[in-house]
Amino acid sequence: MQDKRGVVQFTSSKIEDLIFRTTLDLKSMEGDIIVNLSIADADDIVDVLEFLKLTSNSGLSVSPFLKVLESGDIIGDLTIPEGKVGIATMCSMTIDGVLLKSGIMTNPKFGGVVQIRNGLPVRFTDVLTYASTTIDPLEVLMSQDITSVTRMLQTGSGKILANLREVHLAKRDEINSVLSGMMDIGINGILEVGDPNSRVLDVPVERDHLGVVVIGGTNPMAIMKEQGINIRTNAMSTLMDINSMDKIEDYF
């Protein structure tokens, strides 16, 4: 990816920029969040919303907040094409932005695929670091047809998208408090919080840190892709005012 100056921009740099620009306040429920933008055929909108509802109810999306954009609507520097519909959903990196606003610095490390067995996360099976790619790792992994989100929902075992960040152990108590506050408003993307200086989902973390694994915001799009819906996703697309968004239940 290149920035507006034509300079190659690694995903880690884009993440840092978006995290610092996130302004969501949990108490007032005002401010900007990071969103993923997906483009689908307008004729598929009913199925798309059904899958978004399914993943939200199953805990496989970061939050129930979304925005449906019609043909001709503009988001960031993109205009929704004719015959298409845009779906803006909360990106998991919003969690890092909220933590930063609370004085907790995170270090996003990588996106990957997590094996789930009998409803419990077991280990990362595939990972791509943010510092080594110009394309969002979850976009790449979703395109490789290695997820099995549908099977996970049906049987409790499968492979889903997730990402890992590290937090200094000195912030352990504070991070638990902020994550609890996020859950109170419907941000439920936390998959695993590791112990200090311990591996998390079979991945080592830096000394004096703990790992926090968050469900990938693109899991709903992964299941749509598995079901044959023509959908294209641009992860970490832009920022959006949370008050301009709806909840998935508002569409039913």
Side-chain angles (χ1 to χ4, degrees):
M1 174 183 290
Q2 293 184 339
D3 64 16
K4 294 179 179 180
R5 299 166 298 170
V7 177
V8 172
Q9 182 184 35
F10 285 96
T11 304
S12 55
S13 298
K14 180 180 181 180
I15 289 172
E16 182 178 301
D17 175 61
L18 289 170
I19 286 174
F20 273 90
R21 292 165 58 200
T22 300
T23 58
L24 175 63
D25 185 289
L26 298 181
K27 293 182 179 179
S28 66
M29 279 300 290
E30 296 181 345
D32 292 337
I33 64 170
I34 306 169
V35 296
N36 302 316
L37 177 64
S38 298
I39 305 294
D41 295 334
D43 292 341
D44 288 331
I45 185 57
V46 173
D47 289 336
V48 166
L49 290 173
E50 287 287 354
F51 281 121
L52 285 168
K53 180 181 179 181
L54 172 64
T55 51
S56 179
N57 292 342
S58 302
L60 274 179
S61 59
V62 177
S63 83
F65 296 99
L66 77 158
K67 180 72 174 179
V68 175
L69 301 158
E70 306 292 341
S71 172
D73 287 347
I74 298 173
I75 176 172
D77 57 0
L78 178 69
T79 301
I80 308 302
E82 185 71 27
K84 300 289 184 178
V85 63
I87 308 98
T89 54
M90 185 180 290
C91 174
S92 60
M93 290 301 165
T94 297
I95 293 174
D96 299 83
V98 173
L99 289 170
L100 179 62
K101 186 176 175 66
S102 302
I104 303 170
M105 179 73 76
T106 65
N107 180 20
K109 298 292 288 186
F110 60 73
V113 175
V114 170
Q115 179 184 7
I116 306 293
R117 184 182 299 146
N118 297 324
L120 298 174
V122 178
R123 65 188 179 96
F124 278 99
T125 60
D126 302 89
V127 300
L128 282 173
T129 63
Y130 293 119
S132 63
T133 178
T134 59
I135 305 173
D136 179 74
L138 298 190
E139 285 185 53
V140 176
L141 293 167
M142 186 167 60
S143 72
Q144 300 304 302
D145 297 324
I146 57 177
T147 62
S148 50
V149 184
T150 305
R151 182 159 61 88
M152 202 287 293
L153 288 175
Q154 293 172 340
T155 68
S157 298
K159 293 183 177 181
I160 67 171
L161 298 168
N163 46 61
L164 175 102
R165 70 271 297 123
E166 294 177 342
V167 182
H168 197 279
L169 62 84
K171 296 292 184 178
R172 185 180 186 183
D173 292 339
E174 293 174 56
I175 192 173
N176 287 332
S177 175
V178 177
L179 293 178
S180 177
M182 281 190 268
M183 290 179 65
D184 289 342
I185 65 167
I187 302 178
N188 302 306
I190 307 303
L191 188 63
E192 186 94 358
V193 178
D195 293 321
N197 299 317
S198 298
R199 299 173 75 90
V200 57
L201 298 187
D202 206 28
V203 173
V205 299
E206 293 290 333
R207 183 175 178 177
D208 297 330
H209 287 74
L210 56 87
V212 179
V213 181
V214 177
I215 287 173
T218 50
N219 274 299
M221 291 69 203
I223 194 173
M224 293 178 211
K225 189 172 182 296
E226 292 171 11
Q227 295 298 311
I229 292 179
N230 179 27
I231 191 162
R232 177 171 56 86
T233 299
N234 181 10
M236 298 181 290
S237 178
T238 189
L239 294 164
M240 180 175 283
D241 186 342
I242 195 167
N243 284 321
S244 70
M245 304 181 78
D246 306 303
K247 289 188 175 182
I248 183 61
E249 55 262 31
D250 296 333
Y251 291 90
F252 293 88

